[in-house]
Amino acid sequence: MTGQKTDMNNGNHDAERNEDVDDPMQRMIGEQLKHLYNEVLTEPIPPRLVHLLEQLDQVTADKSSKGS
Amino acid sequence: METRQQLIAQIPNLRAFAVSLCGNPERADDLVQEALMKAWANLDSFQPGTNMRAWLFTILRNVYYSEYRRKKREVEDADGQMAAMLSTHPEQDGHLDLADFKQALAQLAADQREALILVGASGFSYEEAAEICGCAVGTVKSRVNRARNRLAEILSVSTASEFGPDPYTRSIIT
């Protein structure tokens, strides 16, 4: 583990993170960032957004059945 | 999986990104709602097999910034509210550092914060983030670097001030 980064590992998303994991501050920043993001990520999906998609689905289905 | 289910599966990520853009959970849900409606109306433009999450993030971002241009003043107020909200709601779960971190994040320039979130939290590659932001890959890289450096700078200072007279901090370290 040299800590050297090359730009040759395209295609592997994790390999090209520009995170210097050897630097404790940058490691902490990375962890906090994910923690903060995951707080929202793990919240239940608001029912109104699911309901919206159900309505859109319904409208589209109605349209296509009338259109044919 | 049908389209509706695919879109529902992306809602948690869209919300997390929206909160990071506007800093306000309720407004974030409005943004997600508008983005979902736009996405539904433009499903034809989605190329199957490509990254649906990236496609949706692009739409959400466009919704946010077109609103931003329309009501710039109002958004600036919201940004002020965001800073206030972030600074007055320390986490209750013992993550003192997380409250500091939120404040530091709120101090970043919007384009740097966005790039850092996309790459460091949403899990996009630099290439995908560049596509979402409509800029060059090199630009995303430099924004992420500047964001990381700036955060490190802010957090180093606030870590040092932990030993100051702040009563909340004191109650934890004593």
Side-chain angles (χ1 to χ4, degrees):
Chain A
M1 175 76 198
T2 60
Q4 290 288 323
K5 294 273 188 282
T6 68
D7 276 329
M8 294 163 68
N9 42 23
N10 284 338
N12 183 340
H13 296 173
D14 290 323
E16 61 173 325
R17 278 299 121 65
N18 189 30
E19 214 165 320
D20 188 350
V21 288
D22 295 332
D23 177 351
M25 176 58 97
Q26 287 305 334
R27 199 176 52 224
M28 192 205 52
I29 287 172
E31 283 166 5
Q32 302 269 43
L33 204 58
K34 290 190 187 96
H35 185 104
L36 205 56
Y37 196 82
N38 286 341
E39 275 189 344
V40 183
L41 206 57
T42 52
E43 282 170 12
I45 298 175
R48 72 155 154 142
L49 294 178
V50 178
H51 187 59
L52 169 80
L53 287 171
E54 284 166 358
Q55 283 179 317
L56 289 171
D57 224 358
Q58 193 57 49
V59 168
T60 308
D62 288 353
K63 249 191 224 162
S64 58
S65 66
K66 272 179 202 153
S68 56
Chain B
M1 196 168 28
E2 59 171 314
T3 312
R4 195 209 319 169
Q5 294 304 327
Q6 284 181 316
L7 291 174
I8 288 174
Q10 297 300 337
I11 289 177
N13 268 285
L14 286 170
R15 292 182 74 236
F17 181 51
V19 169
S20 74
L21 280 178
C22 75
N24 175 330
E26 269 175 43
R27 183 151 172 265
D29 282 346
D30 290 343
L31 285 174
V32 172
Q33 176 166 334
E34 208 179 322
L36 287 172
M37 289 170 73
K38 281 226 159 68
W40 192 271
N42 292 287
L43 276 176
D44 293 349
S45 74
F46 175 69
Q47 298 176 330
T50 61
N51 189 334
M52 182 179 249
R53 184 177 299 168
W55 181 68
L56 290 169
F57 270 51
T58 309
I59 295 173
L60 178 73
R61 190 180 176 278
N62 287 341
V63 167
Y64 175 69
Y65 282 108
S66 56
E67 202 175 296
Y68 183 92
R69 280 189 288 272
R70 214 166 51 225
K71 330 186 246 184
K72 189 162 190 298
R73 199 193 169 93
E74 196 180 310
V75 172
E76 277 165 2
D77 289 349
D79 283 349
Q81 281 171 17
M82 167 172 162
M85 189 177 73
L86 292 176
S87 63
T88 53
H89 287 281
E91 292 301 302
Q92 298 300 311
D93 58 0
H95 280 95
L96 176 69
D97 290 347
L98 195 62
D100 285 345
F101 185 76
K102 278 186 182 181
Q103 284 189 42
L105 202 57
Q107 288 177 48
L108 293 182
D111 58 351
Q112 293 179 21
R113 184 171 54 237
E114 175 184 68
L116 182 65
I117 301 262
L118 288 172
V119 173
S122 305
F124 287 110
S125 66
Y126 285 115
E127 286 75 13
E128 288 166 331
E131 237 175 84
I132 290 167
C133 299
C135 65
V137 176
T139 307
V140 174
K141 287 186 181 177
S142 90
R143 282 176 187 169
V144 171
N145 280 337
R146 276 183 287 154
R148 286 193 193 286
N149 293 337
R150 181 81 187 105
L151 279 179
E153 218 175 274
I154 299 169
L155 292 170
S156 309
V157 172
S158 73
T159 306
S161 69
E162 259 178 38
F163 298 97
D166 177 276
Y168 181 64
T169 307
R170 185 165 285 268
S171 71
I172 288 188
I173 58 175
T174 50

